[in-house]
Amino acid sequence: MIKWQTKIKKVFQQFTVLVWAMLLSNVVFNITRFMAMPFMAIYFNEKLNLNPSEVGILIGISPLSSLIFSILGGRLGDKFGVHRMYSVALIVPAVSLVGYITVPNYYAIAVFSVFAGIGWAIYNATSNAILAIHAPGSHTEKIFSYNYWGINLGGALGPLIGVLIIGGGNYEIPIGLFAFVLLLIAGIMFFLFRKTKAILQDRNNIEEKKDMDVKGSIYKQLFKDRTLILMTISSFLIYFIEAQDDTNFAQFLNGSFENGVQIFGTLVSMMTGIIVIVQPIMAQYIDRMNNNAAFIFGNGLYFVGFLSLLFLYSQTWSWYFAFALITLGEIIIAPKKQAIMARSAPRHLKATYFSIIYAGGNLAYAIGPWFGGLLLTHVGVNYLLLLLMVVTAFQCYVLIKANRTYERASKSKQTINEA
């Protein structure tokens, strides 16, 4: 018993209270997010009497707004301070969610959706930037691995809780609860940022950024940073692969198997289950792996998964086998990627870096389903799988190149500091 208490104590002592608070808030955020957001389309359809076309437009406005304002969101975070903007980023969508419930007007909801998208863009950039700023260098992979696990835990629990709440047909309750939780997190974290004097760090970063602005070197730095460019390309590639899951693979399964919908639902549950169960265990070992070895092994699992489907896509079991491999590959790659992103970005530009990199992912989600759908419709699933194998191989090359570029830049900075 004492040994277990000692081990637990050591785990909690690895990170600061602020890091643990961010990780916990992200878990709560994602549970309530997945409790409400998956049912938003049904709410618009049934409660507001909108047709499928109108619902589709409303659902698409927020992610489109996030894509357009993603880089601006990162710049706002760095300009005014990521700790301050984090709370603002949560308040804006909370107000928009309340607007969904209280103002049942199509055009008003469209406007609320635009502001919600802007809020999510700022939130994504600032939340990752805060974790990156306060992460101890030796535990960066572990922190982002835990954060990744928390997102998937929310994806597993949120819809189940949402179904229980909506059982009586009241879709407003989970939406209202999500808005309340956003406001609660914003208030608690703002208080904690002040208590830990993290907001004072914002001021120092802003002053440092002003000095860089005077020299006119920020945009030069962004466009000359090869690690940033390569990580943005990598983000596009991996999200291009993920974009096929919920769209084209789901449609292929539905059209190829009698119980295709059930197979797809089981696949999603299996993938989530693997991440929730395996991720905490693998997190203890992933941060010890060499980055290049992790990228080769992780992408190798992706490649083997798609290769097996190329020859066996007509067999139900092959989809479970392939998606299990792909999920394990994702578990290995994701924390390593985020750690490089966190370490390579200058302290006063972390939100900007994250926003640029995630803009690549947003772009992939915008065009990935369309391009994959063209292949699936006109030439068949074989060619889509071949394309994904090529994308996987190229992604492996890009990640290794990004890691080497980052390591060279780090050694160069270390040499300059020692001199």
Side-chain angles (χ1 to χ4, degrees):
M1 185 68 178
I2 296 175
K3 287 184 179 180
W4 277 105
Q5 289 177 343
T6 304
K7 286 183 179 180
I8 293 172
K9 188 176 181 180
K10 283 183 179 179
V11 169
F12 279 98
Q13 287 177 341
Q14 289 177 345
F15 315 139
T16 63
V17 172
L18 188 56
V19 169
W20 282 116
M22 281 295 298
L23 291 173
L24 179 60
S25 67
N26 284 348
V27 171
V28 176
F29 167 85
N30 281 289
I31 289 175
T32 51
R33 170 193 168 200
F34 285 104
M35 176 187 72
M37 300 306 287
F39 306 101
M40 198 68 73
I42 302 173
Y43 169 73
F44 289 151
N45 177 260
E46 293 191 1
K47 296 295 183 180
L48 303 180
N49 297 316
L50 300 177
N51 62 49
S53 175
E54 292 172 326
V55 170
I57 292 172
L58 286 182
I59 295 296
I61 287 175
S62 183
L64 179 62
S65 175
S66 292
L67 173 61
I68 294 172
F69 291 99
S70 57
I71 297 177
L72 176 62
R75 294 297 297 131
L76 288 172
D78 289 325
K79 183 175 180 62
F80 298 105
V82 292
H83 299 92
R84 289 190 183 89
M85 292 305 296
Y86 175 85
S87 296
V88 173
L90 291 173
I91 292 171
V92 172
V95 173
S96 297
L97 289 168
V98 173
Y100 289 165
I101 300 172
T102 58
V103 187
N105 176 274
Y106 182 82
Y107 296 103
I109 290 176
V111 173
F112 286 133
S113 295
V114 171
F115 283 102
I118 295 172
W120 297 137
I122 299 173
Y123 170 80
N124 289 331
T126 55
S127 62
N128 282 288
I130 291 168
L131 280 177
I133 289 170
H134 296 283
S138 59
H139 294 299
T140 304
E141 287 99 338
K142 191 175 290 186
I143 286 174
F144 279 97
S145 183
Y146 288 157
N147 189 54
Y148 176 74
W149 176 80
I151 294 172
N152 285 283
L153 180 64
L157 296 180
L160 298 176
I161 298 172
V163 168
L164 292 175
I165 294 174
I166 296 171
N170 196 332
Y171 293 91
E172 291 89 346
I173 293 177
I175 297 173
L177 281 175
F178 186 29
F180 172 75
V181 167
L182 291 179
L183 294 173
L184 186 65
I185 292 174
I188 292 173
M189 293 309 300
F190 184 76
F191 170 78
L192 191 57
F193 292 151
R194 290 180 65 88
K195 189 77 174 175
T196 58
K197 299 182 179 179
I199 287 181
L200 295 177
Q201 297 177 17
D202 281 347
R203 295 175 185 171
N204 296 332
N205 292 340
I206 291 170
E207 291 302 319
E208 186 177 352
K209 190 191 78 64
K210 285 180 180 177
D211 293 339
M212 295 286 289
D213 280 337
V214 171
K215 298 174 185 177
S217 58
I218 280 185
Y219 289 102
K220 290 181 182 178
Q221 180 177 343
L222 293 175
F223 286 109
K224 287 183 177 180
D225 192 326
R226 293 185 63 192
T227 304
L228 172 63
I229 294 170
L230 289 167
M231 293 305 292
T232 303
I233 295 171
S234 169
S235 181
F236 174 85
L237 294 173
I238 197 164
Y239 283 113
F240 181 90
I241 294 172
E242 288 188 12
Q244 309 309 316
D245 293 349
D246 297 335
T247 55
N248 295 309
F249 284 147
Q251 293 178 74
F252 176 79
L253 288 169
N254 186 42
S256 302
F257 299 91
E258 287 186 14
N259 58 338
V261 175
Q262 289 83 357
I263 292 173
F264 178 72
T266 309
L267 281 174
V268 172
S269 299
M270 180 197 72
M271 293 168 70
T272 305
I274 289 174
I275 293 173
V276 171
I277 295 170
V278 177
Q279 177 79 20
I281 299 171
M282 290 188 66
Q284 307 300 319
Y285 305 99
I286 291 174
D287 61 340
R288 301 176 194 172
M289 290 180 68
N290 174 273
N291 284 351
N292 289 341
F295 292 144
I296 293 171
F297 185 53
N299 281 289
L301 292 174
Y302 270 83
F303 192 89
V304 173
F306 292 132
L307 181 64
S308 65
L309 284 178
L310 184 64
F311 294 102
L312 300 166
Y313 62 82
S314 61
Q315 303 294 318
T316 303
W317 66 267
S318 67
W319 288 89
Y320 293 102
F321 174 75
F323 273 69
L325 292 181
I326 291 167
T327 304
L328 291 174
E330 183 182 345
I331 289 173
I332 294 170
I333 293 172
K336 289 290 185 182
K337 268 188 60 180
Q338 290 184 317
I340 293 176
M341 290 158 56
R343 289 169 175 163
S344 63
R347 185 184 178 90
H348 64 291
L349 290 175
K350 286 193 184 295
T352 302
Y353 268 58
F354 274 107
S355 66
I356 292 173
I357 291 169
Y358 283 123
N362 290 332
L363 180 61
Y365 267 115
I367 69 173
W370 165 76
F371 190 79
L374 285 178
L375 291 178
L376 186 62
T377 302
H378 297 289
V379 293
V381 72
N382 280 337
Y383 287 90
L384 176 57
L385 291 168
L386 280 171
L387 173 64
L388 295 179
M389 289 167 65
V390 173
V391 170
T392 299
F394 185 52
Q395 178 191 223
C396 184
Y397 168 78
V398 169
L399 285 172
I400 291 173
K401 192 79 174 173
N403 183 55
R404 288 176 178 170
T405 304
Y406 160 69
E407 288 178 346
R408 282 197 297 268
S410 298
K411 287 179 182 178
S412 177
K413 288 179 183 178
Q414 186 176 358
T415 303
I416 293 172
N417 291 335
E418 288 175 354

